Every structure is written in C-alpha cells, then in structure tokens.
Amino acid sequence: MSATAYQSLCQKSREIALLGNTMGVLGWDQETYMPKGGVQYRAKQLAWLSGKVHELSTSSEFQQDLEAAENGTDGKDLIEAANLREFRHQFNRATKLPQSLVERASEAASLAKVAWAESREKSDFTLFAPHLSILLDIAREKADRWGYEDEPYDALLSNYERAAKTSEVAAMFDSVAPELADIAREAVKRSAETPNLIPDTEYPIEQQQQLNREIAEDIGFDFNKGRIDTTTHPFCTGIGPKDTRLTTRYLLNDFTSSLFGVLHEAGHGLYDQGLPEDQHGLPVGDSSSLGIHESQSRLWENHVGRSRPFWSKWLPRAQEIFPQLSKLDLDGFLTSINRAETSFIRVESDEATYDLHILLRFGIEREILNGSIAVNDIPEAWNSRFEKLMGMTPPNDGQGCLQDIHWAMGGLGYFATYTLGNFNAAQLHHRAMQDQKVASAFNQADFIPLLNWMRTHIHNHGCTYLPQDLIERASGQTTTPQYHIDHLKQRYL
Amino acid sequence: MSATAYQSLCQKSREIALLGNTMGVLGWDQETYMPKGGVQYRAKQLAWLSGKVHELSTSSEFQQDLEAAENGTDGKDLIEAANLREFRHQFNRATKLPQSLVERASEAASLAKVAWAESREKSDFTLFAPHLSILLDIAREKADRWGYEDEPYDALLSNYERAAKTSEVAAMFDSVAPELADIAREAVKRSAETPNLIPDTEYPIEQQQQLNREIAEDIGFDFNKGRIDTTTHPFCTGIGPKDTRLTTRYLLNDFTSSLFGVLHEAGHGLYDQGLPEDQHGLPVGDSSSLGIHESQSRLWENHVGRSRPFWSKWLPRAQEIFPQLSKLDLDGFLTSINRAETSFIRVESDEATYDLHILLRFGIEREILNGSIAVNDIPEAWNSRFEKLMGMTPPNDGQGCLQDIHWAMGGLGYFATYTLGNFNAAQLHHRAMQDQKVASAFNQADFIPLLNWMRTHIHNHGCTYLPQDLIERASGQTTTPQYHIDHLKQRYL
C-alpha cells in the first residue's frame, strides 16, 4: 500500500515538474530570443501552466497519496523519507494560502514591478511606496497563514532557505558585521593606492565568448547538457535533467565582467548538472536551498576564478586571445581583478564590500516587516545606515533603496541567502582543500577534483538533507562565518 | 444559448491553441538551441502536451458546446459559420480515430523515421520497406475511418489541402505534365550553354545574415514579431499571434542558398503575420491550407526574389556587402540565379524542374495507397519514371525514393501541395499585377503594395473560406496551372 501511494505521488510530482520545466523553457526563451511582440501571449501561456501546476500540486488526489504514503508501515529509506518530508512541506505551503491570496499576490507583484521600474528611473520612492505597503500586508498575511516560531520573517526566509531561523541568521550577521566593515574599509583604502592595470580597450564579444566557453568547459560544465546565451540580467536555469542554461552579458571594454558572470552562473550550473538524475522531478532531485546554491556560484566565481592558480593557467590564454593584455604580469592582473571600491550598487560591488549591502537589506527588511520602520521612512533609514557602513550617502533613491527588484517581486526574505552563500562557499572550499588531492590539483590549476568533491558532498545529495545538515555533513559544522572572514582577510589585507 | 455555447467553444479552442503554441516553442527550441542531452526529456514534454491537446479537443464538453452552437437558432455571421465548419471538421477528424490507432501511428512513425534515416544513409530500401508497409496500412485504416468520396487518397490529401479531390488534382497535374517536361528540358539545355557567373568564393555568414535581414525587412517581415535562426532544415513556425520564427541554413560559398531560403520562409512568415489576430486560437485565425501557404512562400522566393526589379535594387547592395560580386552585371546575375539543371534531389531543384519531382511522387503515392504498386516495387517504379521525366536514373535509392522524410513521418498526401502552391503563386501574382499600383510599385522594386494585396485578398481571411473559394475570390478562378506554365516559359524560354 505505502509503496504504491509513494510511487503514485512520485508520478504526480514528475508530471508537475514536467510542466514546471516547460515554464522554464518559455521563461528562458522570453529572456533570450523571443521577439518583443510575443510578451503578452507568453504571459498567458505561463499563467495557464502555473495554474495547472497549482491545481495538480494541491489536488485532493495528491493529498490522498501523500497521507497514504506518510501513514505507510513499510520502512522508508533515506531518499523516500526526504521526498515525503519535502512533499509535505510544499503541499502545506501551497494549500495554506487561499487561491484569492495567491492571485492577489501575483497581481500586486505585477503592478508593483511596473511601478518600481518607473519609481527607480525617476528616483521617486513615493511612486513605489503604496505598492510596497500592499506587498508587505500580503507578506504578513502569508507568514501568518504559513505559521512561524519566533517572528513572521521566519516564514518568509524559509521560502528560500529551508528551516533557517531569522534570529540565528541575525546573530551570525551581527557577530561579523564590525569585522566585515573593517575589512571593507581597509581593502578599499589599499585598492585606492593601486591602479587597475587592465587596459580599458575593446575586447570583441566573440573573443570573450571563446575564452568564457573554454573556461566553463575546463571547470567541468558539460555543453552537451547546457549552453550559454546573452541576456540583460545573467541567470542560470535548469530546464531538464540534461539541459542547464546559463546567460551572461558583455561589456565591450571589460572582458572580466562577462567572464566572472559566466563563472558565477556556471557554478550554479555545475550544481544543477550534478543533481541526482534518477530523482529528477522529485524533491530530492532539486537543490537544497538558495544559500547552498549561492555557495556553488560564489565558489567558482571567487575562490576559483579570482585565485592565483586559476590565472597562472588562464592569463597566458587570455593574452593569446586579447593581445592588449600581453604586457600584464600575473601579480598586476590579480591585483587588478581583486580591487575593492565602495559602490552604491550591490550588483556592482566586489567581494570586500558585498556583504555590507546584504546586511543593510536584511536589517531593513526585518524591521519593515515587523513595523518598526514605516514604509515611508525606508529611504531615510537606508541612507543613514548606508552612510554608517560605507561612509557615503546615495545621491538618490534610485541608487539607494530602489535599486533591487526583489521587494517589487514580493521576494522578502531572499537577500540573506546571498551572504549565507558567501559563508558556505568559503567553508566548503576550506574543507575541500583539506583533502590533499583536491588542494594539490587546485594549486596546479586542475579544478576537477574540487568539482568532484562538491559532487560527492553537495551536488549528488540534492535536497536529501536540510541545508544545515548538508553543510554539517560536508564540512563538519553548520554555517560558520569565520571561513569567509579569513578568506577576505587573506585576499585583501 | 447559441452565442454562449459558441463563446465557450472559442474559449476551449484558445486554450488548446495555447498548448499547441507551447509545443511550438519547445519544438523550435529543439531545432535551434537545445543541447543534445535535452532530447529525451523534450520528447516527454511534447508527449504530455500532445496528449492534453488530444484530450481537450475530443472531450465531451467540447462536443456538447459544438452541438449546441451548431443547433443555435441565432443568425451566424460569416466568421462564426467558418469557425463552426472547421471545429466540426477537426472534431470529426480527431474523434473518428480510436486512441489505439493514434498511438500506433505515432509509434510507427517514430520507428520509421529512425529506419528511414539508416535506410537512406545506406541506400538500402529493404530497411525501410517493412516500416512503409505498416505506415500504409495505418494510412488506409485512417482513410477508411475518416471516409472519402472517390478513393482513400482523398481522405489523406484533405489533411493538408482542405476539400481537395484527388481526381481533380490528378487531372490538373496530367493536363500540364507534358508541357512542364518540355519546359524543363529546354530550360536545362539553355542553361547548360550559359555559365554561372557568381564567384565560387567565401561569403562570410555574418554578412549573409546582414543582407538576408535587410531584405526580409524590406519585403515587410516584422522583426518585432519574429526572428531568423539557423537550422539544418529551414522552416517557419508561428508560435504566437505576434511571434513568427523563420530559420535558414548557410553555405559559405553560396550566399544565394540562405537568401532564397529566407525569402521562401519569410513568405510563409508574412502570411502568418497577416492572419487575423483577433481570431488567433480559433480556426479562422489559422491559414487556409498548405497549398495556399506554399503559394506565399513561392511568391516571395520566385516571383519576387528571382525577378529583375528585385535585383535591380538589391544587386548593388549585395555588391557592397560582397565585393567579389562587383564585376557582375544585372543580366549576368539574373541568368546565374535562374539557371535550370536536372537533379536527383527535389529540394535542390530549380523552378523549371521542381514540379516534375512532385508529379512523380504524387503518382507513386496514389498507386501505392491503392495497391497498384507494391512497396517492394517502389524503387523500380521510381527509377523508371524518373528516367522518363528527367532522362537520367538515380544512382541509388538514397538519391531516389528514399530522399524525402514525408512518408516516414506518415505524411502521405502532402507532396501535391507543393505544386498546388506553385500554381497558386503564379495565379495570385498574375492577378495582383493587374492592379496598376501593385505592378508599377513592383517594377520599381517596392513590394509592399504586393504584400498589401496579399494581406487583403489572402492573409486577412485566415481560413474563413475553403482554399478553392479563397483562390477564386482572390483571383477570379479556382487553381489554374496555366499561370505557372506562362511564368516558367517567360522565365526560361
């Protein structure tokens, strides 16, 4: 009985995933190749599929199978237990919200995105404020319906980082905030004294693509099961068990921009390509959390891609492709790609200052959700806190509290995962390098043993384990910021 | 009552179309950008969607709405009547076949395609023959279940050319076969005496793309609602009311290959872009038939794209882009692109010989279906008839009866529409040119009035009218081969 209910549940899950992956193709196409005129019809297609996914995910048949499988007396193996845990979590998440709330949230986000875009362009927060108020009300109602232990923010954070507790994340962030600020200040000061030696000349796009592709292949990205395209906002999307697509964007005068973009997205892509294929379409076939996913992108972007061994191999090749680099030596190049500068804009910031942007957002998000900052007071709170962190005040809200799309999409609770990803990346890299084979290969610019370590300890488990269990099994302890701090000190001080 | 049932029917139709268009995106992606590894999962996605389309198209709810709408006492306008006519036709087509037959046909075609590819590669007809026998049995069973007036072939032809009668098509083909053969013979003889003056040198792909795009825009293809990509087998697919995608392929040493490919597919695309948008997702929002669709592709490829006015405008631009053309004069260029040569391969053949390939296939198809040619005797029948038509015998079956994929896909009855398209193209072009504004603009290489004529007389009607009614309304008479004969004589003799 139990085996049958479980199998039936898995079949339903795979059908739902098939529709989700179809949405993935439509979404990818929309960002890459779809002609402008296609946008309205595409929205209808996505709405239909999304409605069908919701219908199938919340059906009484799904519920019956789930209950029967949970109540089955047969011994459940590790994978089966993990799938049931996640089936239950997802089913509760989906069914605790009434359809009217789901629709209200979707409509509010659509309107908010439009208002946000105009608001940001005009640097006029008052255009976005009423929308944000509505989104906050909806977020609070969702949190109430989902339930939480300590504070509403827990319920939202859990959307992105399974089983994370706000208070624990906050304690972790608070514990390193002063040190992060010190490192950033010192790194910026030192960088101001050293010039960027990479010539500000033209790097033809096709040659950038050539270099990026060689590098992505070298770190193990499988182009038989993936590809790289061009979009305004880079992303990685897994749209099938053997189909993982990255995108990047190109600056004609800075080849490192697209390259680090590709390394970042390829880090996500390597994780997707390493997920357990036989579990595709079931929860265990998926990644563990955003904080784990981001650890993989940051690992390849920063710990590999900005390292000395990496460029001892790739600088000569880059010099072949781009003759204007020929006069650069390895030290000068490394100093140039590892400079730190304060920036108003998170997505343009470097490793040394990035986390300060996140800590700012996490704090403000938590306080606007619990009401201790009113929506209309966000610009002032943002600017004064930014001044404290970075020693400068955004000239306008477009370069301040309006810069990110996350809130306009209703994505409260998301930002923390970026810094959790940085912590996890450093911790996993540190642990992997304790394996002598991984370390000695790394130092000879062979990163495949590092990839294999991640395959074994992270990728192949999918979401069998909750994020903190996974990190602990892989590295011996739960997420610990110290490795990231050590890494930043070593890189910048 | 009737209005409500009709509206409900339309809503169902639009939902089915939305899924069909989603299959369109997945299919387009599969041919253009999908990594190799994605193929198996993509097949599953397409199978799910195709099953859902079948389920919705044959549901009892659809049938009830259809019957209620048909029995409604309200006066039906032209559009409503046409939609109901096609709803009924499609519903009967879909429901007269038992599910088991549909699945058998789909499986047989999948296996046949694989066998055909190997069979063609090895030029060994015996590998494909047993599959073709099965496909013929299935085709006969389908024809029996669908019903027909005179002969089973009627039922298959109707799949592609609504309301066409085999005997009438055969009579038309027979009436011009001798003349077509005479023209081809004479054209080939004359071409053998005149050299191809276009240099056999390299034409970089990006520059071919540039020229193709300028030309496609100039004849009215709207790139806000469409695009051009690269595939092995060129095609045009409409995947949304404002999203029409063409593909072509490039030969480095022959820029005219991709260019005429683009003109051909853009002809299809212009038709799609001109269909009545408010009827998208309903039968009337779709094209009238393959023979009408092919008339549009052939019009732009041959009547426009190989004409003197066209190249009087575009040869200078081509010479700017490709300096190796600079010594060519207009006469020499026109003679070179309008040469005729006998070829074993249909898709490589020119205007003068193309229809002979079709007449051969149409005759053999009809006879293998009624059993007067046994499957095993096809190679012999093909070769002896080819010898009679073209004066040469295919050296092997790969270049003979195995060259086309149509039969392996179960597409019996398709070929005739290519030559019907040629007839229609010449007839519509002739009629449009009787409009002085169209003709004088044409002669000054402004083809937009010609496009607008096609919009008014063909595109905008969708399938309001059955193909022969549409042709008659547009040109004053039903499909008449003489205009095509006259066109070929004028071009080649």
Side-chain angles (χ1 to χ4, degrees), chain B residues 101-374:
Chain B
L101 177 59
V102 172
E103 284 166 16
R104 201 147 46 86
S106 163
E107 200 189 336
S110 294
L111 297 172
K113 272 187 280 184
V114 176
W116 165 78
E118 192 190 346
S119 177
R120 183 171 80 151
E121 197 181 316
K122 296 185 175 164
S123 274
D124 180 356
F125 184 74
T126 62
L127 296 173
F128 180 51
H131 293 274
L132 184 54
S133 295
I134 293 168
L135 291 170
L136 278 168
D137 287 342
I138 289 171
R140 285 189 201 103
E141 186 178 341
K142 282 186 178 177
D144 287 342
R145 288 183 181 272
W146 280 330
Y148 48 84
E149 223 170 301
D150 296 336
E151 54 182 306
Y153 197 87
D154 283 341
L156 305 179
L157 180 61
S158 245
N159 262 339
Y160 309 107
E161 197 61 26
R162 205 60 179 87
K165 285 195 66 175
T166 311
S167 57
E168 290 171 8
V169 172
M172 206 186 296
F173 286 4
D174 288 346
S175 74
V176 292
E179 207 164 8
L180 281 172
D182 288 347
I183 295 168
R185 197 175 313 111
E186 182 62 22
V188 168
K189 201 183 112 198
R190 292 188 189 196
S191 292
E193 293 156 8
T194 53
N196 183 345
L197 299 170
I198 302 173
D200 182 14
T201 53
E202 295 197 354
Y203 301 83
I205 307 299
E206 280 193 17
Q207 291 164 29
Q208 292 191 39
Q209 290 173 329
Q210 175 65 30
L211 180 63
N212 294 350
R213 193 184 161 100
E214 287 178 23
I215 287 176
E217 269 183 331
D218 187 66
I219 64 170
F221 186 77
D222 183 349
F223 280 91
N224 284 319
K225 301 178 180 174
R227 46 181 294 117
I228 303 178
D229 295 275
T230 306
T231 54
T232 316
H233 302 286
F235 62 85
C236 168
T237 181
I239 58 182
K242 292 177 181 173
D243 192 347
T244 302
R245 305 194 186 184
L246 323 179
T247 71
T248 191
R249 61 180 158 199
Y250 298 90
L251 299 180
L252 186 56
N253 279 39
D254 180 6
F255 78 98
T256 67
S257 169
S258 73
L259 174 56
F260 287 114
V262 163
L263 279 164
H264 181 96
E265 302 306 336
H268 286 303
L270 289 170
Y271 188 4
D272 283 354
Q273 290 188 338
L275 291 170
E277 219 180 286
D278 63 324
Q279 293 291 311
H280 182 265
L282 308 180
V284 165
D286 211 340
S287 60
S288 182
S289 75
L290 286 190
I292 303 293
H293 230 308
E294 193 73 5
S295 79
Q296 300 304 296
S297 56
R298 289 303 203 169
L299 176 83
W300 294 97
E301 177 190 2
N302 292 331
H303 294 269
V304 175
R306 296 181 188 275
S307 72
R308 177 174 291 269
F310 183 85
W311 286 106
S312 67
K313 173 173 187 178
W314 285 105
L315 182 58
R317 177 63 184 137
Q319 287 169 328
E320 276 173 29
I321 294 178
F322 304 119
Q324 62 262 57
L325 299 177
S326 59
K327 288 184 186 159
L328 265 178
D329 66 8
L330 183 58
D331 284 319
F333 185 80
L334 285 171
T335 309
S336 299
I337 60 169
N338 286 316
R339 298 177 82 254
E341 271 176 32
T342 45
S343 160
F344 296 117
I345 306 299
R346 174 183 62 87
V347 297
E348 290 170 5
S349 67
D350 46 69
E351 270 193 283
T353 56
Y354 188 90
D355 298 302
L356 300 180
H357 292 269
I358 299 303
L359 268 49
L360 170 74
R361 284 158 178 75
F362 175 73
I364 288 180
E365 263 191 350
R366 202 175 165 204
E367 291 180 55
I368 56 178
L369 195 73
N370 71 23
S372 63
I373 298 178

Side-chain angles (χ1 to χ4, degrees), chain A residues 15 29 37 48 206 224 245, chain B residues 15 29 37 48 206 224 245:
Chain A
E15 185 179 0
D29 178 72
W48 189 94
E206 280 192 18
N224 284 318
R245 305 195 186 183
Chain B
E15 185 179 2
D29 178 73
W48 189 94
E206 280 193 17
N224 284 319
R245 305 194 186 184

